[in-house]
Amino acid sequence: LAIASACSMLAFQADAQEVSNNQNTTTKAEDKKKDAIPEVIVTATRQATSLLKTPVAVTALKAEDLLRANVKELLNLSGSIPNVQFGLSSADSGVLVSIRGVTSTNFTEIGDPAVGIHIDGIYSPRPQGSLALMFDLDQVEVLRGAQGTLFGRNSTAGVVNILPAKPEFKTNYGWSSLNLANYNGKEIRSVYNFGISDNFALRAAVMVDKRDGYIKQERDLSDRGVLLSDGNGGSSFT
């Protein structure tokens, strides 16, 4: 009986030691996972690579960051990307992008911008069309420095690469958001992804953004004069 009790005690101690070792291993794995740097995938070299292994100065903004910052156009990215400035041309309402101090102010039909804007890999030659492109995106990548080797001409200062969100296969999900602002501002965003099979999926995105004007204009009749009657059927203005 004493031998059996001793064997049971040794087996219990062995099981407890094994459980403790497993817990320690799990804890170390979780700590290591917490300390690991999240991997960011970019397409700066025309193929999906890790940001840490990409030999280009790239700033990547994920869809969650863009949605949290309520980014609706390129101008809303001002101040969030190093060495990059966004402005609006007063002449023709074109987006003026400057990277590392290099830019171009010629927005005419014969002008070549210094910063190329690409939407899903397609070059957008007119910066006037960049005022309403920031919705339902997967990622925005800003490449600093000349990128003519992979992105062609008009990228002397760099490239702004806008990547729209793509349909996902074999999964169904959706989300909606409502933002209220001053001047009676209302913004509604809704996205739904419907995966049908391994090779076919649909994605729908809707955005409605309305806001009242900043200036309330009223009729001013003070300079129109007052019509007076002279009592003899005539009238005059004062």
Side-chain angles (χ1 to χ4, degrees), residues 217-231:
Q217 186 174 3
E218 299 179 354
R219 296 184 62 187
D220 186 4
L221 304 179
S222 60
D223 60 343
R224 298 183 60 182
V226 180
L227 183 63
L228 299 177
S229 176
D230 57 5

Side-chain angles (χ1 to χ4, degrees), residues 47-128:
Q47 58 182 352
T49 57
S50 174
L51 179 60
L52 297 176
K53 299 180 181 179
T54 303
V56 181
V58 185
T59 297
L61 301 176
K62 300 295 292 183
E64 294 81 5
D65 301 330
L66 299 172
L67 184 61
R68 188 179 301 110
N70 195 27
V71 175
K72 297 181 290 186
E73 56 186 26
L74 284 179
L75 294 176
N76 298 141
L77 295 176
S78 299
S80 60
I81 303 174
N83 300 324
V84 181
Q85 293 80 36
F86 296 90
L88 188 63
S89 172
S90 59
D92 48 13
S93 300
V95 178
L96 180 62
V97 186
S98 175
I99 298 181
R100 291 175 175 173
V102 181
T103 185
S104 175
T105 58
N106 187 358
F107 291 150
T108 63
E109 62 277 3
I110 59 174
D112 292 330
V115 179
I117 299 176
H118 294 253
I119 299 93
D120 200 15
I122 300 176
Y123 174 64
S124 178
R126 300 276 71 84
Q128 289 84 354

Side-chain angles (χ1 to χ4, degrees), residues 138-174:
D138 181 38
Q139 191 167 260
V140 174
E141 303 172 1
V142 179
L143 289 64
R144 294 183 289 277
Q147 306 295 328
T149 302
L150 297 177
F151 289 89
R153 61 181 298 180
N154 303 338
S155 58
T156 306
V159 167
V160 178
N161 195 16
I162 302 173
L163 303 176
K166 297 178 176 57
E168 299 181 18
F169 306 108
K170 299 181 66 175
T171 180
N172 298 330
Y173 67 89

Side-chain angles (χ1 to χ4, degrees), residues 203-223:
R203 187 181 184 92
V206 177
M207 177 178 177
V208 178
D209 190 3
K210 293 183 178 181
R211 194 171 195 169
D212 292 343
Y214 295 98
I215 300 176
K216 184 178 180 181
Q217 186 174 3
E218 299 179 354
R219 296 184 62 187
D220 186 4
L221 304 179
S222 60
D223 60 343

